[in-house]
């Protein structure tokens, strides 16, 4: 199976669907990532704070898959924005991953109360120029954070990884990012299982019409919106199901019904508000 690739604003490309390992326990990560690589995933999304970069690295090493066929993302944690800490942090992540560079390195949260995210992103530009990461981006950034980073560093992040699923679509961030050539990565694409996404009629009906599961219908909605996704599961059958989303297409009417599911009052958010994480 060929997973489509999207071009980033720096000329590199990214597989549109991958495997996220948030909350995969450290001692299960090697097995889980090995399983995902065997099933056909080539894009892995981890983070220093997940505590499982070693397991990701062990699975990569054991896989024998050529490095240039893999796309590996990791992230700079919130307490390491200042001074030269980003240099030390990426060195530690690369050591744990057993890699010479990652494909994408992200500022994990803006932590606006500390007012150091512009510095952190400026350090990522240096890390990219030093060849330690091919592309750089941000995560959980709202429009004012994106505006400042672009204005003050002159560099536009390749991606913004934000909470995004049918009940929480962050259209203001998506619109600004799209206008400025920033790809959106949807984290929690299935709402982290925290509400009854699958029982929602617009989703259940689209799934039934295409003889797929509700999870597949939701992932297909992300892909057709142009978002990058990396749903997490530790179960082989769900990993296969989540990858098997390229054999059908939602109609414009089905897309529009899912678009209409966000109540726009912020009530669909399942994670923290970026202003509250510091
Ligand atoms: N940048 C950030 O701040 C941030 C925050 C959160 C997440 N992320 C990234 O985004 C990735 C994905 O988000 P997420 O893991 O939070 O949430 P998610 O992918 O929306 O949901 C994962 C949950 O859905 C279940 N699930 C997976 N596939 C399913 C299917 N086909 N049918 C039914 N249930 C299914 C999983 O359970 P089982 O494992 O039991 O199958 C798990 O409980 C993360 O792994 C991480 O890489 C980034």
């Amino acid at each position: 199976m060929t997973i489509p690739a999207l071009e980033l604003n720096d000329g590199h490309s990214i597989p549109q669907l991958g495997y996220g390992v948030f909350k995969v326990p450290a001692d299960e990560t090697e097995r889980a990532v090995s399983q995902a690589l065997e099933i056909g995933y080539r894009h892995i999304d981890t983070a220093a704070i997940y505590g499982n970069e070693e397991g990701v690295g062990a699975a990569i090493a054991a896989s024998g898959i050529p490095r240039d066929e893999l796309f590996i993302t990791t992230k700079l944690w919130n307490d390491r924005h200042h001074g030269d800490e980003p240099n030390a942090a990426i060195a530690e992540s690369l050591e744990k991953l057993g890699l010479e560079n990652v494909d994408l390195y992200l500022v994990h949260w803006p932590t606006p109360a500390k007012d150091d995210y512009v510095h952190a992103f400026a350090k990522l530009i240096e890390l990219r120029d030093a060849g330690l990461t091919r592309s750089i981006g941000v995560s959980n950034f709202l429009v004012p954070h994106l505006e400042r980073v672009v204005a003050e560093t002159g560099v536009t992040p390749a991606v913004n990884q934000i909470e995004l699923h049918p009940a929480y679509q962050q259209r203001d961030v998506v619109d600004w990012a799209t206008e400025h050539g920033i790809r959106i990565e949807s984290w929690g694409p299935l709402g982290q299982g925290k509400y009854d996404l699958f029982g929602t009629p617009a989703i259940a009906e689209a799934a039934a019409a295409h003889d797929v599961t509700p999870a597949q219908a939701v992932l297909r909605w992300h892909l057709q919106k142009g978002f990058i996704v990396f749903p997490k599961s530790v179960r082989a059958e769900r990993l296969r199901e989540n990858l098997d989303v390229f054999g059908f297409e939602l109609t414009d009417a089905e897309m529009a019904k899912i678009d209409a599911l966000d109540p726009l009052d912020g009530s669909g958010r399942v994670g923290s508000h970026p202003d509250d994480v510091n």
Side-chain angles (χ1 to χ4, degrees):
M1 151 170 359
T2 309
I3 299 168
L6 297 181
E7 192 174 337
L8 300 174
N9 61 15
D10 58 10
H12 294 298
S13 67
I14 182 168
Q16 198 182 357
L17 191 147
Y19 177 45
V21 295
F22 178 46
K23 294 213 167 140
V24 179
D27 60 353
E28 284 178 36
T29 303
E30 180 179 357
R31 185 198 61 79
V33 174
S34 296
Q35 177 175 258
L37 293 174
E38 236 167 76
I39 287 171
Y41 290 83
R42 291 294 179 266
H43 166 181
I44 309 293
D45 183 272
T46 184
I49 195 68
Y50 300 170
N52 56 19
E53 288 169 312
E54 280 112 332
V56 173
I60 292 170
S63 74
I65 297 170
R67 175 68 185 88
D68 63 0
E69 290 178 21
L70 295 170
F71 190 101
I72 309 298
T73 300
T74 195
K75 313 184 190 93
L76 175 70
W77 188 238
N78 303 344
D79 57 0
R80 308 198 76 174
H81 288 182
H82 59 285
D84 285 337
E85 275 298 289
N87 306 51
I90 197 168
E92 286 164 30
S93 285
L94 292 173
E95 171 80 23
K96 288 177 180 164
L97 289 163
L99 298 175
E100 288 175 4
N101 56 25
V102 283
D103 297 279
L104 180 60
Y105 197 49
L106 306 180
V107 178
H108 203 145
W109 290 86
T111 65
K114 289 195 280 141
D115 194 20
D116 55 10
Y117 60 87
V118 175
H119 172 79
F121 189 71
K123 293 301 287 184
L124 263 56
I125 297 168
E126 291 177 22
L127 299 176
R128 181 196 63 186
D129 293 347
L132 299 175
T133 177
R134 288 206 311 165
S135 298
I136 51 176
V138 296
S139 177
N140 299 300
F141 275 41
L142 302 176
V143 172
H145 310 136
L146 293 171
E147 282 173 340
R148 268 195 68 195
V149 155
V150 174
E152 295 181 33
T153 70
V155 175
T156 304
V159 309
N160 186 18
Q161 182 179 127
I162 54 173
E163 179 184 338
L164 202 159
H165 41 84
Y168 193 69
Q169 298 181 28
Q170 300 215 49
R171 291 195 190 92
D172 55 338
V173 181
V174 172
D175 290 347
W176 197 95
T178 306
E179 275 166 31
H180 292 80
I182 302 172
R183 292 279 184 196
I184 291 292
E185 298 190 324
S186 308
W187 70 249
L190 302 173
Q192 298 186 328
K194 289 184 181 164
Y195 64 95
D196 186 19
L197 191 63
F198 303 155
T200 304
I203 293 167
E205 286 163 16
H210 295 276
D211 198 18
V212 297
T213 67
Q216 289 173 315
V218 171
L219 294 173
R220 188 69 217 172
W221 173 83
H222 286 277
L223 296 171
Q224 288 181 218
K225 297 293 281 185
F227 305 144
I228 297 156
V229 277
F230 21 81
K232 173 259 172 189
S233 178
V234 289
R235 308 181 203 199
E237 68 279 10
R238 284 182 174 171
L239 284 171
R240 285 197 193 86
E241 176 184 327
N242 295 345
L243 194 58
D244 184 16
V245 288
F246 299 104
F248 68 101
E249 196 164 336
L250 299 180
T251 64
D252 290 348
E254 288 162 345
M255 289 292 290
K257 278 191 189 163
I258 300 177
D259 285 349
L261 292 176
D262 181 348
L264 292 177
D265 61 359
S267 62
R269 185 186 280 279
V270 297
S272 303
H273 190 286
D275 284 343
D276 299 335
V277 177
N278 283 288

